Amino acid sequence: MAKHIVMLGPPGAGKGTQAKRIAEKLGIPHVSSGDIFRENLRNRTELGRMAEEYINRGELVPDDVTIAMIRDRLSRPDCRDGVVLDGFPRTPAQAAALDTILQEVAGAQVDIVPCIRVPESVLVERLTGRRSCPRGHVYHLKFNPPAEPGKCDHDGLELFQREDDTRETVTHRIQVYNQQTQPLIEYYEKRGVLVNINGDQPIENVSAELFAALAQV
Ligand code: ADP
Ligand code: ADP
């Protein structure tokens, strides 16, 4: 089964939700660039300070900063046998850097790129109703509520609403995706590793489609 996996799709497509399930099932780390940035924001690190204004405006953090952060994370031993990347790469420069990094740290390449497709009209409601756990688990007020309101089912931590999950910023983030990240679909298609997944169905059904695709590789 494929082990070096890149999740593609617009904000709200369900990348994080599905990445967590894949990571658990395959026993590989889930590396979310957004989660790493947010952890750095919370801990007020230098990296967090550099990224903050971009994140709050719904813009991409500059490539050099983002690539250095991911290089650091992928260099840790737990990523050697596989990883599910969520939110990275987001630009052609990041995709090229990822190829180099995987080769250097694991002698590996991207095995499969599931691209979760969801109509734009669905994304805004998903994002404005999203509630997040500091450890990266995600819920939705209507579509995927926690057992106890406001608390993570997995670790009991208090859920929060991301500052960039407001209607205005969400709309801008979708535009940014269309302009800067969409070209990656073609990049991975040309290599024959892209697989389209219908994300406009219940979470369980999306997972089933995804696992069937992963089993083919
Ligand atoms: P992404 O990482 O692509 O931005 P998330 O996994 O965080 O997306 O999901 C965005 C929101 O939509 C979350 O609130 C999540 O609970 C919800 N969600 C995810 N997948 C589905 C689905 N298949 N149907 C309905 N809601 C979903
Ligand atoms: P979503 O899951 O809704 O798509 P993320 O958590 O992946 O959102 O990203 C939140 C924000 O973090 C982005 O809007 C951007 O500012 C920053 N970010 C995350 N990943 C990257 C990346 N690969 N390159 C540049 N900025 C990024």
Side-chain angles (χ1 to χ4, degrees), residues 19 34-36 41 62 66 76 109 131 142 165 175 206 217:
D35 285 349
I36 302 177
L41 280 180
T66 307
R76 290 200 222 147
Q109 52 200 8
R131 294 295 181 272
K142 196 157 113 191
D165 276 347
Q175 281 171 1
V206 179
V217 178

Side-chain angles (χ1 to χ4, degrees), residues 9-18 86 116 126-127 129-131 138-141 143-144 162 173 199-204 206:
K15 300 182 298 297
T17 302
Q18 301 296 337
D86 154 24
I116 307 185
R126 282 205 187 168
L127 290 165
R130 172 161 65 186
R131 294 295 181 272
V138 288
Y139 299 86
H140 191 280
L141 291 179
F143 305 133
N144 183 28
R162 281 168 45 175
R173 282 161 54 208
D200 192 17
Q201 50 180 343
I203 292 173
E204 287 300 333
V206 179

Side-chain angles (χ1 to χ4, degrees), residues 31-39 55 69 86-87 90 162:
V31 171
S32 154
S33 45
D35 285 349
I36 302 177
F37 279 133
R38 282 184 288 279
E39 196 184 335
I55 294 175
M69 172 186 91
D86 154 24
R90 257 177 158 94
R162 281 168 45 175

Side-chain angles (χ1 to χ4, degrees), residues 6-8 60 63-64 66-67 70-71 74 85 87-103 108-110 113 180-189 191 193-194:
V6 167
M7 305 298 290
L8 261 191
L60 294 187
D63 280 339
D64 54 345
T66 307
I67 290 167
I70 288 290
R71 176 185 291 279
L74 293 182
L85 279 162
F88 182 95
R90 257 177 158 94
T91 63
Q94 292 181 13
L98 176 62
D99 292 338
T100 309
I101 295 169
L102 282 182
Q103 197 52 249
Q109 52 200 8
V110 174
V113 181
Q180 306 195 50
T181 308
Q182 285 244 38
L184 297 191
I185 294 179
E186 203 184 311
Y187 179 82
Y188 287 119
E189 218 163 30
R191 279 218 222 154
V193 290
L194 193 93

